[in-house]
Amino acid sequence: MKKTTVLAAAAVLALSLAGCSGQESGAESSSAASSVTEGTQTETEGTEAGSGSESEAAGSEAGAGGTGETYQIGICQLIQHPALDAATEGFQAALTEKLGDRVEFELQNAAGDSATCASIINQFVSSGDSLILANGTAALQAAAAGTNEIPILGTSITDYATALDLDNWSGTTGTNISGTSDLAPLDEQANMLNELFPDAENVGLLYCSSEANSAYQVETIRGCLEELGYTCTDFTFADANDLASVVTNATATCDVIYIPTDNTAASSTGIINNICLPAGVPIIAGEEGICSGCGVATLSIDYYDIGYKAGEMAYEILEEGADISSMEIAYAPVVTKKYNPAVCEELGITVPEDYEPITE
């Protein structure tokens, strides 16, 4: 009995000690777990706080630089020509300077074909491009027909009202279209012709009949020239195929030829020069590219400048939320009297001192 009682008491004591030990271990484990949990929570909170700071910093950076979005921009250029090339280069330069690698360009050249312009524009629309640059009148007309939602900026466009058949022109289109114009003052071009050739009588107006902007320029400058006493005759060609015969006819009856800013003529200056120069008939050109190929003098704008301005307008639309429908058409800030030294020398023409030579 005593032995049994002693053994039972020992067992109770052992269980009691084991229970105390378990409680102490449990307390230590609980304390350790609590410590780890608190440490993890603290670390997590610190990480969350750090992430919040980084997010705020990133947000501030995005806010300072715009939306942070990458833009895909389609460029439809009517034809490869130094003037239009310069406008495209200026456009890309302006956006690249402002957006860096957040802008991507897809440049397509239509080789002077209106139907190809339409195909290119449809491709841009299907791709969901952020903005379209239409470089040249036919490119702009194709873009206008292709979408009324994607913002369209034109460049190297002489007159938007004529190109888009708009009435009551106020300087804005009221649609998804705006851009820059390559129009130099036509009255000043007429005065230039008169300054260099005051004794001439018959002026031939040479242009492509399918280019609406060329027709607009000719109609405008005709009035200016007739006020100065010249007799003006139109010489129109449908495309490069009948250009040579039309130019030959013009040289037979004209003292001077005026060529407006005309894309087809610009791509065919070699043909024109090979006929007019041997015939001794001088040409006043509407832009520098034509003048450098076959002209005597021009009132020149810088196509890179109007392209660059279009790029700045694109940035305002994409990053600053500018309303394209109310953006006024922009013009070249500076016009310069320029002459072609080689052609002037060949024809024995001396220009006034305020003319600048066209250089390669």
Side-chain angles (χ1 to χ4, degrees):
M1 293 280 297
K2 288 182 180 179
K3 185 176 181 180
T4 303
T5 301
V6 170
L7 289 172
V12 171
L13 179 60
L15 289 171
S16 176
L17 290 171
C20 290
S21 175
Q23 289 175 0
E24 288 174 0
S25 300
E28 290 174 359
S29 299
S30 176
S31 176
S34 177
S35 177
V36 170
T37 302
E38 289 175 1
T40 302
Q41 289 175 341
T42 302
E43 183 178 351
T44 301
E45 289 170 0
T47 302
E48 291 174 350
S51 298
S53 298
E54 291 172 2
S55 298
E56 289 173 5
S60 298
E61 185 177 347
T67 64
E69 181 181 351
T70 297
Y71 302 105
Q72 175 74 25
I73 295 180
I75 301 175
C76 179
Q77 183 172 315
L78 175 60
I79 199 166
Q80 187 170 5
H81 179 266
L84 302 190
D85 293 346
T88 293
E89 291 168 7
F91 177 80
Q92 292 176 305
L95 276 176
T96 302
E97 286 175 14
K98 292 179 177 295
L99 296 174
D101 58 5
R102 292 201 295 116
V103 61
E104 299 173 355
F105 302 100
E106 183 176 359
L107 172 58
Q108 297 283 343
N109 193 299
D113 185 66
S114 298
T116 303
C117 286
S119 298
I120 292 170
I121 295 299
N122 289 337
Q123 176 185 331
F124 293 159
V125 173
S126 297
S127 300
D129 285 2
S130 306
L131 184 142
I132 294 171
L133 176 73
N135 190 350
T137 301
L140 179 69
Q141 291 169 333
T147 178
N148 60 4
E149 296 181 357
I150 297 174
I152 299 167
L153 286 173
T155 192
S156 311
I157 310 299
T158 304
D159 182 67
Y160 282 77
T162 301
L164 300 174
D165 194 22
L166 300 175
D167 296 326
N168 302 318
W169 179 246
S170 63
T172 62
T173 68
T175 67
N176 62 319
I177 299 172
S178 188
T180 58
S181 171
D182 62 359
L183 181 63
L186 293 168
D187 57 342
E188 293 184 31
Q189 292 184 40
N191 291 335
M192 169 182 284
L193 188 150
N194 183 245
E195 179 179 44
L196 295 176
F197 307 106
D199 298 326
E201 296 180 358
N202 298 304
V203 177
L205 306 175
L206 179 68
Y207 65 101
C208 180
S209 58
S210 63
E211 294 194 31
N213 279 321
S214 297
Y216 165 79
Q217 293 172 80
V218 165
E219 284 304 308
T220 303
I221 201 168
R222 182 201 314 281
C224 299
L225 290 170
E226 288 177 347
E227 286 183 5
L228 293 169
Y230 295 100
T231 299
C232 299
T233 305
D234 286 10
F235 292 89
T236 62
F237 51 92
D239 52 40
N241 294 322
D242 63 342
L243 177 60
S245 61
V246 173
V247 174
T248 300
N249 291 337
T251 58
T253 59
C254 297
D255 304 312
V256 184
I257 291 175
Y258 171 78
I259 303 176
T261 301
D262 184 288
N263 292 307
T264 307
S267 64
S268 307
T269 56
I271 296 172
I272 299 170
N273 190 60
N274 289 339
I275 297 170
C276 291
L277 193 61
V281 178
I283 295 170
I284 297 296
E287 57 94 8
E288 185 174 333
I290 295 175
C291 188
S292 64
C294 62
V296 167
T298 183
L299 194 63
S300 178
I301 68 164
D302 191 324
Y303 275 77
Y304 184 93
D305 286 349
I306 62 171
Y308 193 94
K309 177 59 180 177
E312 292 179 326
M313 294 170 75
Y315 179 83
E316 293 173 13
I317 294 164
L318 296 172
E319 287 281 287
E320 298 177 355
D323 179 8
I324 190 172
S325 67
S326 62
M327 295 181 79
E328 291 192 357
I329 302 304
Y331 294 83
V334 178
V335 292
T336 307
K337 290 181 177 181
K338 290 194 172 184
Y339 72 100
N340 184 328
V343 173
C344 285
E345 182 178 357
E346 181 75 18
L347 296 178
I349 297 170
T350 301
V351 299
E353 293 182 358
D354 59 340
Y355 283 65
E356 296 181 6
I358 295 174
T359 58
E360 294 293 336

